[in-house]
């Protein structure tokens, strides 16, 4: 919704200002200029990216438009699952805990958190490191280093869509100039026409430059920035898991380990200690 509101405001001010200073909107209606610019940009986007990245960019744009970032309830769900899992690791045998992480879809612990079961990367991240913990041979600093490497890889993969769209935004001004040059070439072929006709052709050509710059800085670059914001928020959840499990490996009680995870949540979204206790320890949905 924020992206749509922003685009409406940007277009409203741009077109409104142009009209107010005496411009005619009909001059900006140059469909073939837009086809050249957007079509060429789409072609370069397809050339420079893999099919997986192209598909993920569409998904990332959808998430950006919906502002699909983790909310406080999502953080509480992750903390609740981790609390129950750490409690099992502390009090149950290895085989009993393995039953949960080997088949989380059938686990009573994981079933209480269906959103995490649906989030395959997060589910695998939690289960893989829980398995390493119960094996008992790995040292905390080794697990922490491995987690850091995996989180960096996840971060890199999630931002591929942002970089792909940013590359399109970076190339749009130049493609706009190409469209304008083609328009000027067309105008040069009409030098024998009246000044009115020639002026219309030159104006149409300049629309290409305008459109390329506007689509770059007014549409695609802001959407790319929003994708980065949304995707980095998602990466933050993995950092919460890392902080919690490493604290547990270093000897913290499950309740104390949760506080390590809670403290790495941004202040604007961070639940209070009481909320964490109510939702994860004191009989909440995941308890």
């Amino acid at each position: 919704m924020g992206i749509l509101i922003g685009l409406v405001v940007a277009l409203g001010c741009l077109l409104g200002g142009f009209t107010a200073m005496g411009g005619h909107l009909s001059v900006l209606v140059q469909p073939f200029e837009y086809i050249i610019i957007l079509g060429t940009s789409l072609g370069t986007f397809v050339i420079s990216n893999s099919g997986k990245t192209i598909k993920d960019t569409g998904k990332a744009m959808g998430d950006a438009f919906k502002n699909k970032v983790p909310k406080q309830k999502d953080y509480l769900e992750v903390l609740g699952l981790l609390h129950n899992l750490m409690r099992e690791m502390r009090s149950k045998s290895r085989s009993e805990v393995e039953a949960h992480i080997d088949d989380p879809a059938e686990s009573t612990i994981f079933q209480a958190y269906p959103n995490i079961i649906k989030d395959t990367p997060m589910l695998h991240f939690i289960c893989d490191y829980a398995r390493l913990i119960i094996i008992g041979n790995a040292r905390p600093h080794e697990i922490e280093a491995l987690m850091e490497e995996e989180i960096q890889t996840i971060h890199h993969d999630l931002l591929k869509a942002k970089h792909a769209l940013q590359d399109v935004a970076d190339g749009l001004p130049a493609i706009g100039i190409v469209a304008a040059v083609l328009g000027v070439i067309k105008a040069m072929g009409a030098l024998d026409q009246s000044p009115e006709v020639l002026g219309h052709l030159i104006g149409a050509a300049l629309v290409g430059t305008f459109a390329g710059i506007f689509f770059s800085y007014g549409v695609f670059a802001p959407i790319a920035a929003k994708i980065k914001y949304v995707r980095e928020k998602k990466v933050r959840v993995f950092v919460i898991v890392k902080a919690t499990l490493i604290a547990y490996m270093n000897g913290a009680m499950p309740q104390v380990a949760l506080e390590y995870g809670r403290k790495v949540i941004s202040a604007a979204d961070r639940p209070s200690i009481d909320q964490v206790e109510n939702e994860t320890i004191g009989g909440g949905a995941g308890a």
Side-chain angles (χ1 to χ4, degrees), residues 14-282:
L14 187 150
L15 299 178
F18 178 70
T19 304
M21 66 184 189
H24 300 285
L25 291 180
S26 59
V27 177
L28 300 179
V29 183
Q30 305 295 336
F32 294 112
E33 291 281 335
Y34 300 130
I35 289 173
I36 291 171
I37 294 168
L38 296 177
T40 303
S41 297
L42 177 61
T44 58
F45 172 73
V46 172
I47 290 170
S48 59
N49 294 286
S50 65
K52 184 177 180 180
T53 301
I54 293 171
K55 183 178 179 181
D56 186 49
T57 302
K59 181 178 183 296
M61 291 178 68
D63 290 346
F65 273 89
K66 298 174 184 175
N67 195 33
K68 202 171 181 181
V69 297
K71 305 294 193 299
Q72 191 177 92
K73 65 180 181 63
D74 299 309
Y75 296 130
L76 287 170
E77 283 191 12
V78 170
L79 292 174
L81 171 60
L82 292 174
H83 174 259
N84 288 341
L85 200 55
M86 290 185 296
R87 190 170 58 186
E88 288 288 306
M89 289 189 289
R90 189 176 181 84
S91 62
K92 300 292 178 64
S93 66
R94 173 176 168 177
S95 60
E96 289 177 299
V97 178
E98 281 183 334
H100 290 290
I101 60 179
D102 287 342
D103 191 5
E106 298 299 324
S107 164
T108 54
I109 293 178
F110 285 90
Q111 285 176 351
Y113 306 93
N115 290 332
I116 297 178
I117 292 179
K118 294 175 185 176
D119 188 349
T120 304
M122 176 57 63
L123 182 66
H124 288 170
F125 188 83
I126 293 173
C127 290
D128 288 347
Y129 288 104
R131 186 176 290 107
L132 285 174
I133 290 172
I134 64 175
I135 288 174
N137 294 326
R139 298 175 181 176
H141 71 272
E142 294 173 339
I143 298 296
E144 184 173 12
L146 183 59
M147 283 182 166
E148 286 286 352
E149 288 294 327
E150 184 169 358
I151 290 172
Q152 287 182 16
T153 301
I154 293 169
H155 183 259
H156 177 268
D157 289 343
L158 286 177
L159 288 188
K160 284 182 179 178
K162 180 266 178 185
H163 294 311
L165 203 61
Q166 186 63 54
D167 287 343
V168 172
D170 292 341
L172 272 166
I175 295 174
I177 293 173
V178 170
V181 169
L182 292 175
V184 171
I185 293 172
K186 178 184 176 184
M188 291 298 100
L191 287 177
D192 59 338
Q193 301 294 317
S194 66
E196 181 181 353
V197 173
L198 192 59
H200 177 77
L201 292 174
I202 294 174
L206 292 176
V207 168
T209 304
F210 150 74
I213 295 173
F214 175 73
F215 283 132
S216 173
Y217 297 107
V219 180
F220 288 96
I223 293 176
K226 188 61 178 286
I227 288 174
K228 181 181 179 182
Y229 167 78
V230 171
R231 288 292 173 89
E232 287 188 336
K233 278 281 192 177
K234 291 186 176 183
V235 172
R236 202 65 195 164
V237 184
F238 291 90
V239 178
I240 294 168
V241 175
K242 184 202 79 170
T244 304
L245 291 181
I246 293 301
Y248 174 77
M249 288 191 72
N250 282 318
M253 296 282 288
Q255 295 89 334
V256 177
L258 287 186
E259 184 62 11
Y260 281 77
R262 188 186 75 88
K263 294 299 285 186
V264 300
I265 301 172
S266 64
D269 302 315
R270 184 187 303 150
S272 66
I273 295 177
D274 290 339
Q275 285 177 296
V276 173
E277 289 183 350
N278 291 336
E279 295 296 326
T280 64
I281 302 173

